[in-house]
Amino acid sequence: MRAARVEVDVNEREIMEIAIVGGGAAAVGLLDALAARPGDQGRGRSGAGTVSVFEPSPQLWRGRPYGPDLESVLVNAPPAIMSIRSGDFGHYAAWLGNRGAEHLDQLLGQPLVPRAVYGEYLADTAEKAIAALGEQGWLVRVVPARVTEVRRTEARLVVRTQDGHEHPATQVALCVGGGTPPDLYGLAGTEGFLADPYPLAQTLDGVPAESDVAVIGSGLTAVDVVVSLAARGHTGRITLLSRSGVLPHVWQRPNERRPQHLTTERVAGLGMVTLDQLVELFRAELADENLNEFLAELLGTETEDPVERLRRQIAAIDDPSTGRRVLQEAAHTVGPFVWRLLPEADRALVRRHLRTAASVASPMVPVNAATLMGLLDAGQLTLVPGLQSIEVDNGRFRAHGNELITAQFVVNAVNPPPQAVPAMSRDLVRSLTQTGLATRHPSGGLIPADPRVHVVGDLVGGGSFITSSIPGVAAQAARAARSLRSP
Ligand SMILES: Cc1cc2nc3c(=O)[nH]c(=O)nc-3n(C[C@H](O)[C@H](O)[C@H](O)COP(=O)(O)OP(=O)(O)OC[C@H]3O[C@@H](n4cnc5c(N)ncnc54)[C@H](O)[C@@H]3O)c2cc1C
C-alpha cells in the first residue's frame, strides 16, 4: 500500500526542466529574474526543478561583448542603464560601489568601466542567482556545448548538443545573442583583414603602430577600434569607412529627471499607438523646449558634417535640455515595447531614418568622443562616407568611397543587423522552424509557436530596429522568467 502511494506521487510530479541556450547577459538576466521570487516555483507540484545553461564558449556569463579585453574597451552607457535586473536601476551601481571612482568619466560625471569589469558583474550576478535558486530547490548546471537542435517528443522537448547528447526539457529559452559581423565586402581570409575585431587585445596585436588602418563602419564598434588603436600609441593613418559617415551621438550628463509621459506604462494604456501619439508624449516631456528645433537638429544627423556635429555635441554634454536624454532613455525602455504596436507605415518611416535613430539611441561615451575629436583635429583620423567596395591590390587594400583610400589593415566593425540568426545557431533555428516550434518573422528573428519556447535578446522576431541593449535584454528576461514560472 505504502509503495503504491509513493508510485502515485512520482507519476504526478511535474518536474520543470528549463533549458537556457546561450550563457551571455540575457541568460544572466533570466537566471536573476528566476531567482527573484522565493518559494517553490522550481518544484512543480513536488520534487526539484532543473535549469541547464548551454554555453560552448569560454566567455560564460559575459557573452561576446564583456570578455577580457583592453582597458580602452569600455561599457557604452552610464550605470543606471547597465543594470541586468529589470526595474532596479541601482543594481549594477551598487555592485560597482567604490570601484566606480577609479573609472570616472570626467565629462559624463559617471563611472564607465572596461567591459571586462562589467563581465565580472554579470558573472557575480549569475553565481548569486544560481546560489539563490539552489536554496529554493532548483538544480542549476552549465553544459559547455553548442545546441544544434530542439525537437518535441510526445511529452517533452529534447535539446540536442553538438556532441550528440540529448537533454530532456519542459521549456526552452533561446538567449543566443546576435552573432558575429557579416563580411559585406567579401574579404574573409585576406591577409590584413580583421574579420571580427573582438577581443581587440588580440586582433590589434598584429597591427604595427605606423600602419595605415581602415575601419569598416562608423558606429560604436568602430569607435572602440579607434580609441583602442590610440591607447596602444598608433601613429599611422586611421580611416573610418562607411556608407553614411554618421557617427553615434554623444551621451550627455545624466540628470535626476525620469520621463513622466513617454513611459511604457503610459504607452501601454493607449491601446493602438501611432508615431504622432509618441511625438505628443515626447512634446509633453520637453516643457519649455522647442520640439521643432529639436527635431530639425535631430534630422540634420545624416546631412550635417559629422566632425562639426561631434564638436558641438561634446560642447553640449552639460547642456541642461532634456530632449536627447529622454529620447535615449525611451529608445531602450519604451522602444522595444512599442515597436510592435506601431502601424507598419510608422515603422517604415522610422526605418527610413535608421542611421539617425541608431546614432541617437546608442550614443558614444564622452571620453571616447574626446579621443576621436583629438585624432580628427590632428588629422590622424578621417571619415570617408559613400563606401562602395574594397579590393586588394598588391597586398594593400583599396577602398572606394567618396575618396579612394588605401590601407594595410582593414578592421570589420560592421555589426550584424538586429534579429539576425547567429551562425552558431543556424541549425538550431532550422530545427525549431521545421518542427513547428517557432516561425521566422518576415522582418527577421524568431516567433515561438509553442508556449514552451521563449526567446530573449536580439533574436526576438519583429523586434525593434536597434540591437538589444542591456535594459532591453533585462526587461525581456524578466518577462520570459514570468512565463517560465507559470507555463
Ligand atoms: C561589442 C558589443 C558591445 C556592447 N556594449 C554594450 C553596452 O556597453 N551597453 C549595452 O547596453 N549594450 C551593449 N551591447 C549590446 C549587447 O547586445 C547586450 O549588451 C548583451 O550582450 C546581449 O546579450 P545576449 O546574451 O543576448 O547575447 P551575447 O552576449 O551575444 O550572448 C549569447 C551567447 O549565446 C551563445 N550561443 C549562441 N548560439 C548558441 C547555441 N546554438 N548553443 C549554445 N550557445 C549559443 C554564444 O556563445 C554567446 O555566449 C554590446 C554589444 C556588442 C556586440
Side-chain angles (χ1 to χ4, degrees), residues 181-219:
D183 177 18
L184 297 182
Y185 297 92
L187 298 172
T190 312
E191 202 183 331
F193 176 60
L194 310 180
D196 184 350
Y198 299 110
L200 284 157
Q202 279 170 27
T203 52
L204 295 188
D205 223 21
V207 177
E210 63 290 353
S211 55
D212 291 341
V213 178
V215 182
I216 310 176
S218 59

Side-chain angles (χ1 to χ4, degrees), residues 76-78 105 107-108 112 220 223 246-254 297-298 301 306-319 321 323-325 328 356 358-373 376:
N76 286 319
D105 179 321
L107 294 168
L108 193 67
L112 295 174
L220 290 176
V223 173
V246 172
L247 288 171
H249 284 227
V250 181
W251 277 108
Q252 293 182 293
R253 258 179 194 258
E297 159 76 19
L298 197 65
T301 304
V307 179
E308 286 323 304
R309 195 171 183 81
L310 178 66
R311 199 182 305 284
R312 212 176 51 250
Q313 293 209 340
I314 291 174
I317 288 169
D318 273 335
D319 187 304
S321 54
R324 214 141 42 88
R325 292 180 175 90
Q328 276 154 0
T356 301
S359 86
V360 73
S362 304
M364 68 177 112
V365 293
V367 62
N368 288 351
T371 302
L372 252 66
M373 200 70 246
L376 285 160

Side-chain angles (χ1 to χ4, degrees), residues 64 178-182 184 196-198 216-217 219-222 412-418 420 467:
R64 186 161 175 261
T180 45
L184 297 182
D196 184 350
Y198 299 110
I216 310 176
L220 290 176
T221 301
N412 191 13
V414 179
N415 280 312
T467 46

